[in-house]
Structure formats: C-alpha cells, structure tokens
Amino acid sequence: MKLTARQLRDFDALGYLVLPNCFSESEISVLRSEAEQIFDTERQEVWREKSGAPRTAFAAHTYNKAFAILGCHPRLIKPLEQFFGEPVYMHQFKINAKAPFDGEVWQWHQDYGTWKRDDGMPEARAMNISVFLDEVMAVNGPLMFIPKSHKLGTLAAGHDKSTTSYPLWTLDKTTVTKLVDEGGIVAPTGKPGTVLMFHGNLAHASPPNITPYPRKIVYLTLCAVSNHITKFNRPDFIAHRDFTPIEACEDDALLKFARKCRQAAA
Ligand SMILES: O=C(O)CCC(=O)C(=O)O
C-alpha cells in the first residue's frame, strides 16, 4: 500500500490520516478474538484500569501469532517506510481495550513527548499506525486529535503518574485550550479494519467509555531505524530494544492464518 501525493499533503497539513477498509472482517475477527483471549490472561504485559478491566496489552506481537503477522503487515509497514524514507523497527506495540463501561481516560498528550523524555528518541521520526478491531464511534471513547498541533514541536508537559495506571507526559489545560483555538478537535470514527496514522507530535486524548460498546484499537509505533532510542528506562515490553528493520510479510498472511484457525475450529 502506497500513500498518494494527496494523502501525504493531507497528513502534513493535519497530522493524521484515516484509511477506511484496510483490513477485511475475516482478518479483523481473528485479531479481535485473539485480543480478547490475551486480555483474559494474567501476564506482566497486560495492564488494567483501576477497576481491574483491561486497559492495554503490550508487545502482543512477541507472544501471539496473529499479532506477530499484524506487526509486519505490509499495509502498515510500507506506508511508514515510504513516509520516513528508510526501514522501520517496532518501538512499541499495544492493544488498547477501552472496555465497555470501564475504559478510562487518556489525558491530552503528544506521544513523542514520552518517547523523547523517557526513551531518549532523538527526533519525532516515529509514529503510531493503528487498526480498529471494533467499530469506533463518537460515543465509545474514540481518539480525539487537535489537527495541526504536530506543527508546534514538543510542548512542555507534566508527568502524570496518578490519573490512570499508565504514566504519561500530559499537556496542561492552558496549552490544550490554545491548541484547540487554532485547530479544533476531531474524533475519527470508523468500522473495524479502519487504519489511522498520526504524527508523533499530534496532541491527542480519549474520553472514558461509559457505553456497552467495546472499543479495541491496536497501535504499532514504528520508528525509523536510524532514529532508535538511546535510553532504557522503561521495561523492554513497553519500549523495545530490538532495532532490527521489520521485513514485511505477504499481504495475505493474516487471511491465511484466519483460514487455518477456522479449519482447526471446524
Ligand atoms: O487508545 C486510546 O484511547 C489512546 C491511546 C493513546 O493516546 C496513546 O497510546 O498514545
């Protein structure tokens, strides 16, 4: 999958790109059911909300076959190789659950703020490319972006270690108000299989999910290999230390895996 000149221009102007219908329901349904099984396990990589509901499963590409395939899927790897003009490695991989009724807030932040301060990533030459496993709606805790905020570099932030179970460098209310005056707020929605890529400096957040609708999203944080991290403060299942360039798998690898799972279950 190659981004068009128009898509690259839109990304540069706004800081994000929505790519609907990237993965079929057959591909997504196997990922969805594997994610649910992972969230049911007690592993150090599965973090929970204060209520005990699942929040994030880190590094599933290292212990689950379906997510290992997704972690090298050409529909995700190729656009970012194209964007950075070089091979990429996996800086972080997470499945965020945003559980029905219990999924908590993600405060306003820029991802690169954390990658720079905690992981010593030299430049904002990494970004999230995410895949919706459930339908993301206006009401079930969608990601909210402040368009154009990626143009302002890395902003001052405070280290929030208390609001949720996951420490984050967050933006204060005055900063967010100024950014929103300029760019407004958008909350991209979409069917399962939608892909969303966003710049490492794009300010974003998500509200709690108080609906019965699940909202699972997988995030691959892909970093240009020459821009690998230099500090190792966080556990390696959160900030990976393997800077090997990812080699993309075949485009139909997930479909073949889904078919095998269906045959095994029949
Ligand atoms: O999944 C979400 O709702 C937010 C995730 C997020 O902001 C992040 O991973 O940086």
Side-chain angles (χ1 to χ4, degrees):
M1 196 169 80
K2 218 168 177 262
L3 299 173
T4 64
R6 169 79 196 268
Q7 286 172 324
L8 289 168
R9 271 202 309 278
D10 286 351
F11 182 86
D12 180 55
L14 298 172
Y16 69 95
L17 210 52
V18 186
L19 304 165
N21 305 316
C22 276
F23 290 90
S24 65
E25 183 50 32
S26 310
E27 291 171 311
I28 292 296
S29 63
V30 68
L31 293 169
R32 197 188 296 123
S33 76
E34 297 286 318
E36 281 157 10
Q37 287 174 43
I38 291 169
F39 285 134
D40 278 345
T41 59
E42 295 297 329
R43 338 175 32 112
Q44 63 168 353
E45 294 91 345
V46 177
W47 286 33
R48 300 192 177 273
E49 309 284 15
K50 288 172 180 162
S51 66
R55 179 174 179 84
T56 297
F58 289 101
H61 67 307
T62 62
Y63 52 80
N64 177 279
K65 177 71 183 157
F67 287 105
I69 296 171
L70 192 72
C72 59
H73 204 288
R75 285 173 237 159
L76 304 175
I77 303 301
K78 293 290 170 190
L80 293 209
E81 280 180 353
Q82 178 191 356
F83 186 83
F84 291 124
E86 62 171 292
V88 292
Y89 79 93
M90 190 71 72
H91 172 58
Q92 188 174 77
F93 186 104
K94 58 187 188 289
I95 314 166
N96 282 356
K98 193 71 82 171
F101 297 110
D102 284 321
E104 288 180 13
V105 65
W106 285 74
Q107 301 284 5
W108 288 105
H109 65 285
Q110 296 170 300
D111 288 330
Y112 180 62
T114 297
W115 304 335
K116 179 181 178 171
R117 293 177 181 103
D118 289 352
D119 306 327
M121 187 185 282
E123 289 175 43
R125 301 193 70 239
M127 78 169 90
N128 278 327
I129 183 156
S130 59
V131 183
F132 295 179
L133 298 189
D134 298 306
E135 180 165 359
V136 176
M137 305 177 240
V139 294
N140 65 349
L143 276 172
M144 301 192 296
F145 294 147
I146 305 180
K148 302 188 274 192
S149 54
H150 66 302
K151 297 278 188 192
L152 302 174
T154 309
L155 302 163
H159 207 193
D160 177 3
K161 296 183 186 165
S162 60
T163 309
T164 66
S165 60
Y166 185 64
L168 207 58
W169 288 89
T170 58
L171 304 172
D172 66 21
K173 291 176 187 168
T174 311
T175 308
V176 172
T177 304
K178 272 197 209 133
L179 296 176
V180 171
D181 281 348
E182 291 293 313
I185 300 178
V186 295
T189 55
K191 296 277 177 209
T194 300
V195 165
L196 191 56
M197 53 186 270
F198 54 101
H199 193 283
N201 274 330
L202 191 75
H204 63 283
S206 65
N209 182 9
I210 57 166
T211 74
Y213 306 119
R215 192 235 66 177
K216 285 182 283 307
I217 303 179
V218 191
Y219 298 84
L220 279 65
T221 305
L222 298 172
C223 183
V225 167
S226 66
N227 190 49
H228 65 76
I229 62 170
T230 59
K231 289 198 225 161
F232 307 108
N233 295 321
R234 302 197 289 171
D236 68 0
F237 64 85
I238 294 183
H240 302 306
R241 288 149 206 197
D242 178 356
F243 310 137
T244 312
I246 298 172
E247 264 184 52
C249 63
E250 292 297 318
D251 190 78
D252 62 356
L254 200 48
L255 213 50
K256 281 189 179 148
F257 179 75
R259 208 172 292 140
K260 255 199 217 152
C261 291
R262 277 199 307 274
Q263 280 162 0

PDB file of all heavy atoms in Angstrom, residues 92 94 96 98 106-107 109 111 128 141-143 168 198 204-206 215 217 219, ligand 1:
ATOM      1  N   GLN A  92       7.063   0.309  19.923  1.00  0.00           N
ATOM      2  CA  GLN A  92       6.053  -0.140  20.901  1.00  0.00           C
ATOM      3  C   GLN A  92       4.904  -0.790  20.140  1.00  0.00           C
ATOM      4  O   GLN A  92       4.625  -0.420  19.010  1.00  0.00           O
ATOM      5  CB  GLN A  92       5.526   1.069  21.680  1.00  0.00           C
ATOM      6  CG  GLN A  92       4.614   0.709  22.839  1.00  0.00           C
ATOM      7  CD  GLN A  92       4.215   1.923  23.674  1.00  0.00           C
ATOM      8  OE1 GLN A  92       3.355   2.689  23.256  1.00  0.00           O
ATOM      9  NE2 GLN A  92       4.834   2.080  24.842  1.00  0.00           N
ATOM     10  N   LYS A  94       0.880  -2.050  21.080  1.00  0.00           N
ATOM     11  CA  LYS A  94      -0.109  -2.227  22.146  1.00  0.00           C
ATOM     12  C   LYS A  94      -1.522  -2.388  21.594  1.00  0.00           C
ATOM     13  O   LYS A  94      -1.854  -1.854  20.534  1.00  0.00           O
ATOM     14  CB  LYS A  94      -0.049  -1.097  23.167  1.00  0.00           C
ATOM     15  CG  LYS A  94      -0.260   0.296  22.662  1.00  0.00           C
ATOM     16  CD  LYS A  94       0.008   1.285  23.812  1.00  0.00           C
ATOM     17  CE  LYS A  94      -0.371   2.694  23.461  1.00  0.00           C
ATOM     18  NZ  LYS A  94       0.482   3.355  22.492  1.00  0.00           N
ATOM     19  N   ASN A  96      -5.138  -1.472  22.880  1.00  0.00           N
ATOM     20  CA  ASN A  96      -5.846  -0.718  23.926  1.00  0.00           C
ATOM     21  C   ASN A  96      -7.310  -1.148  23.933  1.00  0.00           C
ATOM     22  O   ASN A  96      -7.988  -1.080  22.909  1.00  0.00           O
ATOM     23  CB  ASN A  96      -5.728   0.782  23.680  1.00  0.00           C
ATOM     24  CG  ASN A  96      -4.375   1.312  24.104  1.00  0.00           C
ATOM     25  OD1 ASN A  96      -3.556   0.567  24.642  1.00  0.00           O
ATOM     26  ND2 ASN A  96      -4.132   2.583  23.871  1.00  0.00           N
ATOM     27  N   LYS A  98     -10.079  -0.097  26.049  1.00  0.00           N
ATOM     28  CA  LYS A  98     -11.185   0.864  26.309  1.00  0.00           C
ATOM     29  C   LYS A  98     -12.471   0.072  26.543  1.00  0.00           C
ATOM     30  O   LYS A  98     -13.429   0.094  25.767  1.00  0.00           O
ATOM     31  CB  LYS A  98     -11.306   1.824  25.132  1.00  0.00           C
ATOM     32  CG  LYS A  98     -12.179   3.033  25.388  1.00  0.00           C
ATOM     33  CD  LYS A  98     -11.608   4.053  26.318  1.00  0.00           C
ATOM     34  CE  LYS A  98     -10.638   4.996  25.640  1.00  0.00           C
ATOM     35  NZ  LYS A  98     -10.271   6.113  26.538  1.00  0.00           N
ATOM     36  N   TRP A 106      -7.597   8.746  28.472  1.00  0.00           N
ATOM     37  CA  TRP A 106      -6.181   9.006  28.160  1.00  0.00           C
ATOM     38  C   TRP A 106      -6.087  10.523  28.090  1.00  0.00           C
ATOM     39  O   TRP A 106      -6.784  11.146  27.282  1.00  0.00           O
ATOM     40  CB  TRP A 106      -5.764   8.383  26.818  1.00  0.00           C
ATOM     41  CG  TRP A 106      -5.598   6.889  26.880  1.00  0.00           C
ATOM     42  CD1 TRP A 106      -6.583   5.961  26.945  1.00  0.00           C
ATOM     43  CD2 TRP A 106      -4.362   6.157  26.877  1.00  0.00           C
ATOM     44  NE1 TRP A 106      -6.041   4.692  26.988  1.00  0.00           N
ATOM     45  CE2 TRP A 106      -4.684   4.791  26.943  1.00  0.00           C
ATOM     46  CE3 TRP A 106      -3.015   6.529  26.815  1.00  0.00           C
ATOM     47  CZ2 TRP A 106      -3.707   3.795  26.959  1.00  0.00           C
ATOM     48  CZ3 TRP A 106      -2.042   5.544  26.829  1.00  0.00           C
ATOM     49  CH2 TRP A 106      -2.387   4.187  26.905  1.00  0.00           C
ATOM     50  N   GLN A 107      -5.282  11.099  28.965  1.00  0.00           N
ATOM     51  CA  GLN A 107      -5.186  12.560  29.034  1.00  0.00           C
ATOM     52  C   GLN A 107      -4.539  13.117  27.760  1.00  0.00           C
ATOM     53  O   GLN A 107      -3.868  12.395  27.026  1.00  0.00           O
ATOM     54  CB  GLN A 107      -4.345  12.961  30.257  1.00  0.00           C
ATOM     55  CG  GLN A 107      -4.902  12.467  31.576  1.00  0.00           C
ATOM     56  CD  GLN A 107      -6.109  13.269  32.063  1.00  0.00           C
ATOM     57  OE1 GLN A 107      -6.603  14.157  31.370  1.00  0.00           O
ATOM     58  NE2 GLN A 107      -6.593  12.950  33.241  1.00  0.00           N
ATOM     59  N   HIS A 109      -2.009  14.478  25.353  1.00  0.00           N
ATOM     60  CA  HIS A 109      -0.551  14.321  25.306  1.00  0.00           C
ATOM     61  C   HIS A 109      -0.062  14.250  23.872  1.00  0.00           C
ATOM     62  O   HIS A 109      -0.872  14.121  22.934  1.00  0.00           O
ATOM     63  CB  HIS A 109      -0.131  13.041  26.056  1.00  0.00           C
ATOM     64  CG  HIS A 109      -0.621  11.776  25.411  1.00  0.00           C
ATOM     65  ND1 HIS A 109      -1.934  11.338  25.472  1.00  0.00           N
ATOM     66  CD2 HIS A 109       0.033  10.843  24.664  1.00  0.00           C
ATOM     67  CE1 HIS A 109      -2.065  10.204  24.815  1.00  0.00           C
ATOM     68  NE2 HIS A 109      -0.891   9.891  24.298  1.00  0.00           N
ATOM     69  N   ASP A 111       2.662  11.828  21.823  1.00  0.00           N
ATOM     70  CA  ASP A 111       3.412  10.585  22.048  1.00  0.00           C
ATOM     71  C   ASP A 111       4.920  10.830  22.055  1.00  0.00           C
ATOM     72  O   ASP A 111       5.656  10.262  22.859  1.00  0.00           O
ATOM     73  CB  ASP A 111       3.075   9.549  20.977  1.00  0.00           C
ATOM     74  CG  ASP A 111       1.678   8.988  21.168  1.00  0.00           C
ATOM     75  OD1 ASP A 111       1.223   8.924  22.324  1.00  0.00           O
ATOM     76  OD2 ASP A 111       1.046   8.633  20.167  1.00  0.00           O
ATOM     77  N   ASN A 128       2.491   6.395  15.379  1.00  0.00           N
ATOM     78  CA  ASN A 128       1.536   5.306  15.558  1.00  0.00           C
ATOM     79  C   ASN A 128       0.767   5.084  14.273  1.00  0.00           C
ATOM     80  O   ASN A 128       0.285   6.033  13.658  1.00  0.00           O
ATOM     81  CB  ASN A 128       0.517   5.675  16.645  1.00  0.00           C
ATOM     82  CG  ASN A 128       1.058   5.418  18.027  1.00  0.00           C
ATOM     83  OD1 ASN A 128       1.840   4.487  18.226  1.00  0.00           O
ATOM     84  ND2 ASN A 128       0.663   6.227  18.979  1.00  0.00           N
ATOM     85  N   GLY A 141     -15.568   6.271  23.324  1.00  0.00           N
ATOM     86  CA  GLY A 141     -14.194   6.611  23.721  1.00  0.00           C
ATOM     87  C   GLY A 141     -13.237   6.699  22.554  1.00  0.00           C
ATOM     88  O   GLY A 141     -12.127   6.149  22.619  1.00  0.00           O
ATOM     89  N   PRO A 142     -13.630   7.401  21.479  1.00  0.00           N
ATOM     90  CA  PRO A 142     -12.735   7.494  20.315  1.00  0.00           C
ATOM     91  C   PRO A 142     -11.499   8.314  20.632  1.00  0.00           C
ATOM     92  O   PRO A 142     -11.484   9.075  21.596  1.00  0.00           O
ATOM     93  CB  PRO A 142     -13.597   8.253  19.285  1.00  0.00           C
ATOM     94  CG  PRO A 142     -14.463   9.138  20.131  1.00  0.00           C
ATOM     95  CD  PRO A 142     -14.795   8.315  21.354  1.00  0.00           C
ATOM     96  N   LEU A 143     -10.478   8.154  19.802  1.00  0.00           N
ATOM     97  CA  LEU A 143      -9.329   9.054  19.895  1.00  0.00           C
ATOM     98  C   LEU A 143      -9.780  10.441  19.475  1.00  0.00           C
ATOM     99  O   LEU A 143     -10.556  10.584  18.521  1.00  0.00           O
ATOM    100  CB  LEU A 143      -8.255   8.600  18.904  1.00  0.00           C
ATOM    101  CG  LEU A 143      -7.316   7.508  19.354  1.00  0.00           C
ATOM    102  CD1 LEU A 143      -6.466   7.076  18.175  1.00  0.00           C
ATOM    103  CD2 LEU A 143      -6.420   8.008  20.483  1.00  0.00           C
ATOM    104  N   LEU A 168       2.189   9.092  31.920  1.00  0.00           N
ATOM    105  CA  LEU A 168       2.168   9.763  30.621  1.00  0.00           C
ATOM    106  C   LEU A 168       2.597  11.216  30.813  1.00  0.00           C
ATOM    107  O   LEU A 168       2.252  11.834  31.827  1.00  0.00           O
ATOM    108  CB  LEU A 168       0.712   9.734  30.136  1.00  0.00           C
ATOM    109  CG  LEU A 168       0.395   9.761  28.656  1.00  0.00           C
ATOM    110  CD1 LEU A 168       1.057   8.589  27.930  1.00  0.00           C
ATOM    111  CD2 LEU A 168      -1.126   9.695  28.465  1.00  0.00           C
ATOM    112  N   PHE A 198      -0.999   8.698  12.812  1.00  0.00           N
ATOM    113  CA  PHE A 198      -0.897  10.082  13.318  1.00  0.00           C
ATOM    114  C   PHE A 198       0.509  10.418  13.768  1.00  0.00           C
ATOM    115  O   PHE A 198       1.238   9.579  14.314  1.00  0.00           O
ATOM    116  CB  PHE A 198      -1.947  10.381  14.398  1.00  0.00           C
ATOM    117  CG  PHE A 198      -2.024   9.466  15.577  1.00  0.00           C
ATOM    118  CD1 PHE A 198      -1.450   9.825  16.788  1.00  0.00           C
ATOM    119  CD2 PHE A 198      -2.693   8.244  15.497  1.00  0.00           C
ATOM    120  CE1 PHE A 198      -1.542   9.003  17.900  1.00  0.00           C
ATOM    121  CE2 PHE A 198      -2.777   7.412  16.610  1.00  0.00           C
ATOM    122  CZ  PHE A 198      -2.204   7.788  17.804  1.00  0.00           C
ATOM    123  N   HIS A 204      -3.279  14.545  21.362  1.00  0.00           N
ATOM    124  CA  HIS A 204      -4.458  13.683  21.325  1.00  0.00           C
ATOM    125  C   HIS A 204      -4.807  13.182  22.714  1.00  0.00           C
ATOM    126  O   HIS A 204      -4.017  13.298  23.656  1.00  0.00           O
ATOM    127  CB  HIS A 204      -4.259  12.515  20.335  1.00  0.00           C
ATOM    128  CG  HIS A 204      -3.160  11.595  20.714  1.00  0.00           C
ATOM    129  ND1 HIS A 204      -1.830  11.891  20.534  1.00  0.00           N
ATOM    130  CD2 HIS A 204      -3.180  10.350  21.273  1.00  0.00           C
ATOM    131  CE1 HIS A 204      -1.083  10.895  20.954  1.00  0.00           C
ATOM    132  NE2 HIS A 204      -1.878   9.937  21.429  1.00  0.00           N
ATOM    133  N   ALA A 205      -6.011  12.620  22.807  1.00  0.00           N
ATOM    134  CA  ALA A 205      -6.536  12.132  24.087  1.00  0.00           C
ATOM    135  C   ALA A 205      -7.691  11.201  23.748  1.00  0.00           C
ATOM    136  O   ALA A 205      -8.057  11.050  22.573  1.00  0.00           O
ATOM    137  CB  ALA A 205      -7.063  13.307  24.911  1.00  0.00           C
ATOM    138  N   SER A 206      -8.263  10.559  24.773  1.00  0.00           N
ATOM    139  CA  SER A 206      -9.546   9.870  24.539  1.00  0.00           C
ATOM    140  C   SER A 206     -10.337   9.870  25.843  1.00  0.00           C
ATOM    141  O   SER A 206      -9.760   9.753  26.922  1.00  0.00           O
ATOM    142  CB  SER A 206      -9.350   8.454  23.990  1.00  0.00           C
ATOM    143  OG  SER A 206      -8.714   7.638  24.938  1.00  0.00           O
ATOM    144  N   ARG A 215     -14.340  -1.003  22.474  1.00  0.00           N
ATOM    145  CA  ARG A 215     -13.556  -0.180  21.529  1.00  0.00           C
ATOM    146  C   ARG A 215     -12.106  -0.598  21.603  1.00  0.00           C
ATOM    147  O   ARG A 215     -11.351  -0.041  22.368  1.00  0.00           O
ATOM    148  CB  ARG A 215     -13.693   1.305  21.874  1.00  0.00           C
ATOM    149  CG  ARG A 215     -13.178   2.259  20.808  1.00  0.00           C
ATOM    150  CD  ARG A 215     -12.122   3.246  21.343  1.00  0.00           C
ATOM    151  NE  ARG A 215     -10.885   2.604  21.746  1.00  0.00           N
ATOM    152  CZ  ARG A 215      -9.801   3.262  22.193  1.00  0.00           C
ATOM    153  NH1 ARG A 215      -9.805   4.561  22.312  1.00  0.00           N
ATOM    154  NH2 ARG A 215      -8.689   2.599  22.544  1.00  0.00           N
ATOM    155  N   ILE A 217      -8.432  -0.983  19.908  1.00  0.00           N
ATOM    156  CA  ILE A 217      -7.579  -0.484  18.819  1.00  0.00           C
ATOM    157  C   ILE A 217      -6.166  -1.029  19.044  1.00  0.00           C
ATOM    158  O   ILE A 217      -5.676  -1.022  20.170  1.00  0.00           O
ATOM    159  CB  ILE A 217      -7.529   1.066  18.799  1.00  0.00           C
ATOM    160  CG1 ILE A 217      -8.939   1.677  18.663  1.00  0.00           C
ATOM    161  CG2 ILE A 217      -6.638   1.570  17.674  1.00  0.00           C
ATOM    162  CD1 ILE A 217      -8.965   3.216  18.666  1.00  0.00           C
ATOM    163  N   TYR A 219      -2.171  -0.519  18.222  1.00  0.00           N
ATOM    164  CA  TYR A 219      -1.242   0.540  17.804  1.00  0.00           C
ATOM    165  C   TYR A 219       0.137  -0.056  17.556  1.00  0.00           C
ATOM    166  O   TYR A 219       0.713  -0.659  18.460  1.00  0.00           O
ATOM    167  CB  TYR A 219      -1.074   1.582  18.900  1.00  0.00           C
ATOM    168  CG  TYR A 219      -2.338   2.321  19.269  1.00  0.00           C
ATOM    169  CD1 TYR A 219      -3.239   1.776  20.179  1.00  0.00           C
ATOM    170  CD2 TYR A 219      -2.628   3.568  18.730  1.00  0.00           C
ATOM    171  CE1 TYR A 219      -4.400   2.450  20.527  1.00  0.00           C
ATOM    172  CE2 TYR A 219      -3.778   4.250  19.080  1.00  0.00           C
ATOM    173  CZ  TYR A 219      -4.664   3.682  19.979  1.00  0.00           C
ATOM    174  OH  TYR A 219      -5.807   4.355  20.315  1.00  0.00           O
TER     175      TYR A 219
HETATM  176  O1  LIG B   1      -6.302   4.187  22.908  1.00  0.00           O
HETATM  177  C1  LIG B   1      -6.548   5.316  23.310  1.00  0.00           C
HETATM  178  O2  LIG B   1      -7.669   5.683  23.561  1.00  0.00           O
HETATM  179  C2  LIG B   1      -5.467   6.342  23.471  1.00  0.00           C
HETATM  180  C3  LIG B   1      -4.099   5.815  23.246  1.00  0.00           C
HETATM  181  C4  LIG B   1      -3.070   6.875  23.230  1.00  0.00           C
HETATM  182  O3  LIG B   1      -3.334   8.032  23.320  1.00  0.00           O
HETATM  183  C5  LIG B   1      -1.700   6.501  23.075  1.00  0.00           C
HETATM  184  O4  LIG B   1      -1.404   5.327  23.032  1.00  0.00           O
HETATM  185  O5  LIG B   1      -0.851   7.395  22.985  1.00  0.00           O
END
